[in-house]
Amino acid sequence: LTLSGRELASLDAADAWTKSDICPLIPELEGPVLRASRFWYNGVELTDSTTLQALGIEDGACLQVVVDKSAIELVVTGSSDHTARIWHVQSGECIRTLAGHGERVMSAVFSPDGTRVLTASFDATAKLWCAASGDCICTMQGHDAWVYTARFSPDATLLVTAGDDGTAKVWSAEAGACLRTLQGHEVAVCFAVFSPDGAMVLTTSLDGTAKLWNPSTGECLCTLCKHDSFVCSAVFSGDGALVLTASWDHTAKLWNADSGDCLSTLEGHGEHEVRCVAFSPDGTLALTTADDRIAKLWSVESGECARTLRGHGNAVYTAAFSPDGALVLTGSDDRTAKLWSAGTGECLRTLLGHSSMVRSVMFSPDGASLLTASWDRTAKVWSAESGDCVRTLR
């Protein structure tokens, strides 16, 4: 395979292979780049429904890879209108509406290769969609109540869902079949995610615990049980060695993912619920947000507060690090988002324009753009350099 005349890979392929068989074998084609890649042979395109044999490809043949750079940046949103939508960031155009859920969509994410979308809904189902066509590939039915979140495994072969029925479920991404039900929480499971290597699943619950599971067997490996109230958010460190949890007991906690030992308790938000947690990309800092209108940066090594980010006028609900870890983006119930220096704690930009609470924030992969989503039924794209709103997705 070649890109701009440069060889990307040399593959020992079977006649029945399609584009979906080749893509995982090319490390350079990941995420948005893969989503924008097209494969051609003698003027005929190889797709997910055509085979190498059908195109007449034989030993020694060369496939050309073409990347449409204008199609690279896509965003998916979930809404209370029962749909998810895929947007083209550059134009602000909605290019796909994923309709089929019977209740609000609580979670929507792209697969690691960008070819599929996974949604979770209050209609007690999750759905897998083709990002290119908008067709529903399969529906995961099995929860007895709301499904709060759904996530892909790192290799996209498995899915995990978190339900109000007190369970998490592991599903086959190919067939949509439930492979395992993770039972052990006493009440609603509000979040579930795979570890970076896919070897574990982390769940959080309103029963005040988080749990680590083996997704292959369904075995509970350990219970992280020192919180005194709901555990509403949790995340693995980039190397999967640590877990960071946020609780309504006003604390966050750092845990050893292997042993389940609590390494430190991050206290500093007073009598206020901690809403969101994140690790910096290099794993040296932990980030917490809370109802006390502030966010805090903590040393992972010592557990000490390194910086306090003050300036919001209401609860800080969500936050994210930039890809290089130099910046922090926060979203608040005060209808604003703010961009901060992770090194100094200085507020660099205030993003004004939403008319309701900002409940989700993220950086583009290159860190140049910011994305916010609000209860005002819009998402907005902003310039990280100027703080200007460059696009409203509505």
Side-chain angles (χ1 to χ4, degrees):
L1 295 96
T2 63
L3 176 65
S4 300
R6 178 172 57 89
E7 183 175 304
L8 289 178
S10 180
L11 305 176
D12 184 11
D15 289 343
W17 278 16
T18 67
K19 177 184 175 183
S20 59
D21 297 305
I22 294 174
C23 287
L25 304 178
I26 311 173
E28 289 188 52
L29 301 183
E30 294 183 332
V33 176
L34 176 57
R35 190 163 55 237
S37 299
R38 301 174 71 180
F39 293 66
W40 298 86
Y41 178 70
N42 286 343
V44 181
E45 185 174 7
L46 177 70
T47 68
D48 290 339
S49 59
T50 57
T51 66
L52 297 178
Q53 185 178 43
L55 266 63
I57 296 176
E58 300 177 346
D59 288 346
C62 181
L63 271 174
Q64 184 179 13
V65 182
V66 177
V67 178
D68 178 6
K69 292 185 177 180
S70 69
I72 285 180
E73 287 198 350
L74 300 179
V75 168
V76 62
T77 58
S79 172
S80 59
D81 68 3
H82 307 178
T83 72
R85 295 174 189 267
I86 300 174
W87 308 80
H88 187 262
V89 172
Q90 187 175 13
S91 67
E93 175 190 4
C94 176
I95 61 173
R96 299 281 181 275
T97 297
L98 311 181
H101 280 295
E103 259 290 357
R104 67 174 57 207
V105 176
M106 295 299 294
S107 169
V109 294
F110 279 109
S111 59
D113 66 4
T115 61
R116 290 169 292 171
V117 170
L118 179 61
T119 55
S121 171
F122 273 10
D123 67 4
T125 73
K127 289 180 181 286
L128 190 62
W129 311 79
C130 173
S133 67
D135 293 338
C136 181
I137 299 169
C138 57
T139 298
M140 277 64 71
Q141 295 178 299
H143 283 287
D144 296 327
W146 298 342
V147 180
Y148 291 109
T149 61
R151 294 291 187 270
F152 288 93
S153 62
D155 64 4
T157 61
L158 299 175
L159 316 171
V160 65
T161 54
D164 194 59
D165 59 4
T167 71
K169 291 180 181 288
V170 178
W171 311 78
S172 164
E174 181 179 358
C178 181
L179 304 178
R180 247 138 330 259
T181 297
L182 311 182
Q183 293 181 301
H185 285 293
E186 297 174 4
V187 290
V189 179
C190 48
F191 182 74
V193 67
F194 285 93
S195 59
D197 64 1
M200 290 188 286
V201 166
L202 170 64
T203 58
T204 70
S205 172
L206 300 188
D207 65 8
T209 72
K211 290 178 181 285
L212 292 166
W213 310 78
N214 182 330
S216 298
T217 65
E219 174 192 3
C220 180
L221 303 174
C222 62
T223 299
L224 315 180
C225 59
K226 293 189 176 181
H227 281 294
D228 296 325
S229 188
F230 304 158
V231 182
C232 55
S233 177
V235 64
F236 281 100
S237 58
D239 61 5
L242 300 175
V243 169
L244 179 61
T245 55
S247 173
W248 286 15
D249 69 1
H250 319 141
T251 72
K253 291 180 183 287
L254 279 164
W255 311 79
N256 181 302
D258 185 43
S259 67
D261 294 336
C262 182
L263 304 177
S264 57
T265 298
L266 311 182
E267 297 180 284
H269 288 286
E271 297 299 308
H272 297 275
E273 297 161 359
V274 179
R275 293 288 184 174
C276 175
V277 289
F279 281 104
S280 60
D282 65 4
T284 61
L285 292 175
L287 170 64
T288 60
T289 74
D291 285 357
D292 60 357
R293 307 180 183 185
I294 63 176
K296 285 180 175 285
L297 292 167
W298 310 77
S299 164
V300 169
E301 183 178 4
S302 68
E304 297 296 321
C305 180
R307 276 167 287 288
T308 297
L309 313 182
R310 299 182 186 275
H312 279 294
N314 208 328
V316 185
Y317 193 85
T318 184
F321 279 99
S322 60
D324 63 2
L327 302 172
V328 170
L329 180 61
T330 55
S332 170
D333 285 1
D334 67 3
R335 300 178 291 181
T336 74
K338 290 179 180 287
L339 189 64
W340 313 77
S341 165
T344 66
E346 177 189 2
C347 181
L348 306 175
R349 307 274 186 276
T350 297
L351 311 182
L352 299 168
H354 284 294
S355 60
S356 188
M357 300 172 280
V358 177
R359 287 304 174 95
S360 182
V361 298
M362 66 181 296
F363 286 85
S364 62
D366 63 4
S369 298
L370 316 173
L371 180 70
T372 58
S374 169
W375 277 16
D376 65 8
R377 301 185 179 182
T378 71
K380 290 179 180 286
V381 182
W382 313 75
S383 164
E385 183 177 4
S386 67
D388 293 337
C389 179
V390 298
R391 208 85 60 224
T392 296
L393 313 180
R394 68 170 84 237

